[in-house]
Amino acid sequence: MATASRPSDRVNLEHITVLLIDDNPQALDILASVVQGFGVREQMRSTSALEATHILKRKPVDLILVDCAMPEMDGYDFVKWLRREM
C-alpha cells in the first residue's frame, strides 16, 4: 500500500542550474521537460560536448546530464575533460 508523500519528501531542484548535453534536439526537449518536472528553473542546453566545455568555462552549474554517444567528443571524453579541467 502506497502512502502519500510529504512535501519534504519530494525532490525539488528549483534552485539549481542544469546543463543538458545531447546532439539530438528531440532528446534535449525530453530532458528539459523531465528536469522541469523536478522544479528546475534554470537550464542550459548544448548540442555538443565541445560547446558544453565553453559554457562551463563561463558559468558554473550544479548538475550535468550528458549523452554518451555523440560525434567529435562523446560523453565519456567530456566527463574525462570535466574531471581534469574543472
Side-chain angles (χ1 to χ4, degrees):
M1 176 189 264
T3 59
S5 63
R6 298 174 298 201
S8 62
D9 293 339
R10 297 184 189 135
V11 175
N12 186 345
L13 305 177
E14 69 182 33
H15 299 292
I16 71 165
T17 302
V18 175
L19 174 59
L20 307 172
I21 310 166
D22 199 312
D23 60 325
N24 181 322
Q26 291 83 13
L28 274 178
D29 289 341
I30 292 168
L31 282 173
S33 294
V34 169
V35 298
Q36 187 176 7
F38 282 102
V40 173
R41 293 181 183 167
E42 186 175 355
Q43 52 180 266
M44 295 177 283
R45 298 179 184 198
S46 176
T47 56
S48 77
L50 191 58
E51 178 188 7
T53 63
H54 299 296
I55 291 170
L56 289 172
K57 289 177 183 177
R58 292 189 317 262
K59 181 169 173 72
V61 299
D62 301 301
L63 177 65
I64 301 171
L65 298 175
V66 59
D67 180 19
C68 291
M70 292 184 290
E72 295 177 14
M73 175 188 255
D74 66 20
Y76 298 109
D77 289 335
F78 172 78
V79 171
K80 288 177 191 172
W81 173 87
L82 185 63
R83 289 180 175 174
R84 193 174 53 245
E85 300 295 326
M86 301 308 280

